[in-house]
Amino acid sequence: MFFAQQITDIEKPNEQIVTENTTVKKELIKSKIIGITGGIGSGKTTVAKYLIHLGYPVYISDIEAKNVMQQKNVLLQIVEKFGSDILDTKGVLQREKLASIVFNNPEKLSQLNAIVHPAVKQHFIEWLKNNQDKPIVFKEAAILFESGSYKDCDFIITVTAPMQQRIERVMKRDNTTSEKVVQRINNQISDEERIAKSNFVISNTTLKETEKQIFEILEILKNK
């Protein structure tokens, strides 16, 4: 039975991790960095959580980005760019309000990314240093390719699922309509684009089959 698709044709990963102020030589980081990505509703977080269950360190970018955006220096930059109206009465960032500003506005989104991405990358580097005794670590990110973070990875896994299954998952999770889910999917890069830059593909249709594919990939990675 086919569990996981391995792709051998891929761009060579970057040899160093770079931020505006920090460069971490890959030879100083002994861990293999494995990127996990996929479109909305594909189940990449399910894969990440199962890897955590198995004892692997996993950096879940969306969760970490939310925390980073509440850091004082980052929050001040966001407020300076988008105004104090994006904060609630307690000074907490209203993410939904900020999302409504940048959604379908490439210029505003670019401004936000210019603040958040470097801060998240710096945070990831510190996390990586704290886990460098681990032979394999994972980074889950919806925009792994769009942000350029894929260049930090030694190998990349793309998680896919049938379109209708993705739509139903997100409708149930976010209590939204199919039309809104499709709009969000269309705003992302396609699975074909992700797969072209990936080493492995997990087809996430059932939990049992997904777990089998994860184990197969882990066995390959352990021998790399």
Side-chain angles (χ1 to χ4, degrees), residues 2 90 111 116 164 207 211:
F2 173 81
K90 296 181 179 180
Q111 291 172 350
V116 176
Q164 189 57 39
L207 184 59
E211 289 174 358

Side-chain angles (χ1 to χ4, degrees), residues 2-3 6 13 16 38 45 74 76-77 97 105 113 125 142 154-155 158-159 162 164 175 178 195 197 210 213:
F2 173 81
F3 293 146
Q6 180 181 6
Q16 59 185 22
T45 304
V74 177
L76 284 173
Q77 292 180 68
K97 193 166 187 177
N105 189 324
N113 288 341
I125 289 173
D154 297 292
F155 299 95
T158 283
V159 183
Q164 189 57 39
N175 190 28
S178 61
I195 290 169
K197 294 182 178 180
T210 297
Q213 293 173 76

